[in-house]
Amino acid sequence: MRQARMPTSTAIVAAPSGSTPAEARAFLDAHPEIEAFDIVLTDANGVGRGKIVRRHELMSIFEGGRHMPISILGLDITGEDVHETGLIWTTGDGDLRAWPIPGTLVPLYGTSPPRGQVLMAMYHLDGQPMSSDPRLALARQVDILAAKGLHPAGAFELEFFLLANERDAEGKVQAARAVLDGRISGKTEVYSVDHLHGMEPLFSDIYAAAKAQGIPAETVISEYAPGQYELTLNYRKDVMRAADDLVMLKRLVRAQARRHGVTACFMAKPIEKYAGSGMHFHVSLLDDAGRNVFAEAAGETWSLPLLRGLGGLIQTMAESMLVFAPHANSWRRFVSQSYAPVAPTWGVNNRSVALRVPAGDAKNRRIEHRPSGVDANPYLVAATVLAGIVKGLDDGLDPGPETTGNGYESAVTRTTMPVDWRAAIEAARASTFLKGALGEDLHRTFVAIKQSEYLRVARTVSELDYHLYLHEV
């Protein structure tokens, strides 16, 4: 059993995360019914790892943090150690200190007995940021922009499937029956309002859970495949909180789906003949006065910061694809006319490009970054996107001509995208840009984890192998 050990020195004046005991004290006073708390640290794969603690333990966590092994940030998707990260026995599997993230101490809706939750971030024992923590990589990019007088605002969109707990006759996943009346549809019910009604009890609980946690969940739609849905989140002026929103929303959607007897699936491509699920990231930059620098002035076609930001994202997209498509299954999403981008292109009001500038009022001008699957880590996605925008601003990069019409048919000559997961791993490994975007330690950790997972998949003999080759070669 891997247990956190008490270090020899624990003296810290204040929480480096910015949390305070007053937040915990006020929460406990307001929620006398809550008996336990999930404390959740997000790893490189976006997996929440941590513990369930009893009510009486919460104050000590806010007063002095909670010791956790450094190795939990060096795990693969299955929870196995990846020694190449340098976070396992190279460090002696020592303890660091996780601290609460302000504003994420919330009740969990519908739990019995009642529980709460708080997100955590990892720091060294002296209070310095732990450089393989994904959330702290995003914080570093936010600080880089703040030094330039710029402040990123944004929001994520969450696409996902609701699947039956049982497989079909062929052993494949299938869309869940409506929780209201048990009906099942094998059709593409895109934008069908009536279809949403069958899941109304589940979505009502999702909205109630989001309200309890202060998550600005808004529109729900029936997406482009049987059993596929999308939830939008309201824009945040604090991009850190926007990423927290997505992490928390995924957790509560999964929990509420389970309570209604279905499975919430966040794979990028769970059903081969239908479109996969994306995690589009909308981002803009505000100056110190709160003005959107992406908004064009009167007489301008587009603002220079917007064009340069697009230029940076286009130039860095190929070497960043491992962040946006981190798993073997992620790459099944990238096929023509699947509503997933296949080239580093930009366009206005065009869903066949990688970088979409939505139409609308100039004061709301933003970039919609579309490559990421819903299986990506939102902290890493946001950190990498912000770093790409910074590069575009610093280097004065031109995005090239706007793509109009069918972006899938556009010739791409400036940048070649990786064709598969292995190529993305190699591109990320060699990328100086990505080392800067994530920081050298997290870059090493992330690439090592992905390489370990790739080797696990590559050596697996699948049922498809037997079907194709067993009696034929």
Side-chain angles (χ1 to χ4, degrees), residues 3-11 51 60 64-69 93-97 125:
Q3 297 289 336
R5 300 177 301 276
M6 289 298 295
T8 56
S9 175
T10 60
K51 304 179 180 184
S60 66
R66 183 73 177 224
H67 298 107
M68 291 188 181
D93 193 16
D95 292 334
L96 298 185
R97 198 183 322 228
L125 300 181

Side-chain angles (χ1 to χ4, degrees), residues 195-404:
H195 178 66
L196 292 174
H197 292 169
M199 291 293 182
E200 189 274 336
L202 169 54
F203 282 112
S204 291
D205 281 347
I206 287 173
Y207 281 125
K211 181 179 180 180
Q213 295 187 16
I215 299 172
E218 295 195 327
T219 306
V220 60
I221 66 172
S222 178
E223 258 290 353
Y224 203 72
Q228 188 183 33
Y229 302 87
E230 178 185 281
L231 272 169
T232 61
L233 288 160
N234 196 17
Y235 222 64
R236 293 276 199 182
K237 290 186 177 181
D238 178 358
V239 78
M240 298 285 292
R241 188 56 202 264
D244 292 337
D245 285 342
L246 199 284
V247 168
M248 295 167 72
L249 185 61
K250 286 179 71 173
R251 286 182 57 79
L252 74 83
V253 167
R254 182 179 284 117
Q256 295 307 319
R258 182 178 295 170
R259 291 190 175 92
H260 283 271
V262 299
T263 296
C265 175
F266 301 110
M267 290 173 63
K269 182 80 167 178
I271 302 176
E272 61 192 42
K273 62 181 179 179
Y274 292 109
S277 295
M279 188 180 70
H280 304 160
F281 177 42
H282 295 250
V283 61
S284 57
L285 295 181
L286 309 179
D287 64 17
D288 287 335
R291 293 183 293 261
N292 183 358
V293 303
F294 283 171
E296 62 272 14
E300 282 187 317
T301 303
W302 303 111
S303 76
L304 192 58
L306 175 70
L307 292 174
R308 287 179 172 174
L310 288 166
L313 292 173
I314 285 173
Q315 186 177 106
T316 60
M317 190 175 295
E319 58 199 298
S320 303
M321 280 304 299
L322 186 63
V323 170
F324 310 142
H327 308 291
N329 179 259
S330 309
W331 291 85
R332 307 194 197 287
R333 176 171 162 261
F334 294 98
V335 293
S336 180
Q337 300 181 25
S338 64
Y339 289 92
V342 295
T345 51
W346 77 280
V348 181
N349 198 23
N350 187 335
R351 287 182 170 84
S352 66
V353 296
L355 304 169
R356 174 176 175 252
V357 180
D361 194 326
K363 69 181 182 181
N364 298 323
R365 191 68 67 218
R366 63 192 186 275
I367 297 170
E368 179 187 2
H369 184 273
R370 296 175 58 83
S372 298
V374 72
D375 57 343
N377 183 327
Y379 297 127
L380 298 188
V381 169
T384 304
V385 168
L386 294 184
I389 291 172
V390 168
K391 182 173 178 60
L393 295 175
D394 288 350
D395 296 353
L397 298 179
D398 187 330
E402 174 193 346
T403 296
T404 58

